[in-house]
Amino acid sequence: MYRILRKESLNPTVSLMDIQAPLIAKKAEPGQFIILRAKEDSERIPLTIADFDREKGTVTIIYQIVGGSTMELDTLNEGECLHDFVGPLGKPSETDGLKKVAVIGGGVGCAIAYPIAKKLSSLGCEVHSIAGFRNKELVILEDEFKKVSSKLCIMTDDGSYGTKGLVTNALEELIKEGNQYDEVIAIGPLVMMKFVCLLTKKYGIKTIVSMNPIMIDGTGMCGGCRLTVGGQTKFACVDGPDFDGHLVDFDEAMHRGTIYRDFESHMRDKNCNLMKQGDK
Amino acid sequence: MPVSNGHRVAIVGSGPSGLAAAGDLAKMGYKVTVYEALHLAGGVLVYGIPEFRLPKIIVQNEIDNLKAIGVDIETNMVIGKVLTVDELFEMGNEAVYIGSGAGLPRFMNIPGESLKGVYSANEYLTRINLMKAYKKDSKTPIMHSKNVAVVGGGNVAMDSARCAKRMGAENVYIIYRRSRNEMPARKEEVEHAIEEGIIFRTLTNPVEILGDEKGMVNGVKCVEMELGEPDASGRCRPVEKPDSELVIDVDTVIMAIGTSPNPLIRTTTPGLETNQRGCIVTDGDSGMTSREGVYAGGDAVTGAATVILAMGAGKAAAKAIDEYIKNKN
């Protein structure tokens, strides 16, 4: 059983869970993902692995409550079990030979950027981390990032914490200061990754992004997660989720991400109503 | 419960091939564990074949029967990821049967395939069948289409078209580049589709999928074809007719033009020989692969074929595995 051993709220819309899944914990690497179903009739949702503990046999997930499925997941508490939990899926992030890397996380994307920063740091790579959030209330994983980065820039849209501005502002500044990165790793909203890639293209720095498209099986069967990368059709689940950001067609990915928007908002409203009824 | 013979066999995939092999081996006294990547056992029988052709309750009964004779089925286990074939041997299995199915859906590589409203048949069928989008209160979204083009002429294309009709589509087209005679689908499936009012646009080949300003599909541009000389498959090669462009108004396009093998097992099993297309190479009917103790069958070997052939391969491999283990011990 995939028992929830710990549940913690990181900010008003983002929560963390440690899930008992010893086989997956044994094999998991940063950059890989799992697919879960909260309950028997839930949707399958992919979430990138935020951390793992091989000894304890746990896999950590961090999720933002955005729609019906994540709302349903959030109704489960410590001691309860997820109905399904499968992984580790996708290819691990490549970390070989990197000496100096800028790791960028946007919002809940920081949950995926952190394990990569942690692994790079453990391999002796110099890590500069940039974490962007809308405001102070939404900041997550600050202490964790601090431990594994020789430099950490927290950016907020409204300036309520860290420096006011976008992650691209911080990155450009670091580059202009003379930092020479082997690679930039950017994980966050599509629009953020797109603009990081536009910037790094200008400076000729290789950039890896982690894509999180709509997915069903996660093993290469459904083709729903397809992306255009360098003019070719790729499946995020088996070819990724990491890709060369300079080759990804972000505009297309943004379009495809909206296909079920109406349905999702309907399910969200329905779940909210159900929960309100439950409170009465 | 059959009398145990003390030997263990692992089976990768709980589709028709894996279940057939599991049943025969269990009856011979083997301890069989079937590993399934999805959350539900049955493979294509539950994600692909629609309810109106094969009620899920029948699949479930068959699976329950296997469990009753001692077969263990472990769902949510992606072999090649959470465990490798080598680890299955380390766990005490003396043979492994790979019945992992067809694999990655193919696309045509024409413009517009990333528009909203273009599905692979696997995705469309999985949403409807496995994820139960055919039920009104399902949490899985699906497009409720008015006009649907299904590209391809196989059994999966027929299933997709008939599903689309049942999901409420008014006009469902089968677009196929050869004529009806060359369709790979079983005759009965084609006849059923015609009876249900599916519109056949044969000798027609898509060249572009058209979309509106929101990125939603609103048509498929095709060219007419005519049949030329037979090709390597023995079927007449379709040749494009000049100046024959036409547009069919649709809001959904389902690509049912086959699959290419899944890389997960091939890339994590050293010494497992695959052919140019990536299908596992086996020695005749036995399903024996280039790796000792590893057998394979079904779509993972043949490329997309039928449930019947996959079951046959599973049964033949069960026999070969039994002989292999008996001779070894």
Side-chain angles (χ1 to χ4, degrees), chain B residues 116-136:
Chain B
K116 289 179 274 184
V118 183
Y119 288 105
S120 75
N122 276 0
E123 179 181 1
Y124 190 70
L125 292 171
T126 301
R127 283 184 182 276
I128 293 174
N129 298 317
L130 178 73
M131 304 309 293
K132 303 192 170 70
Y134 69 89
K135 290 187 179 166
K136 236 186 168 168

Side-chain angles (χ1 to χ4, degrees), chain B residues 313-325:
Chain B
K315 291 178 85 70
K319 202 165 154 252
I321 288 170
D322 178 48
E323 280 162 19
Y324 163 73
I325 292 178

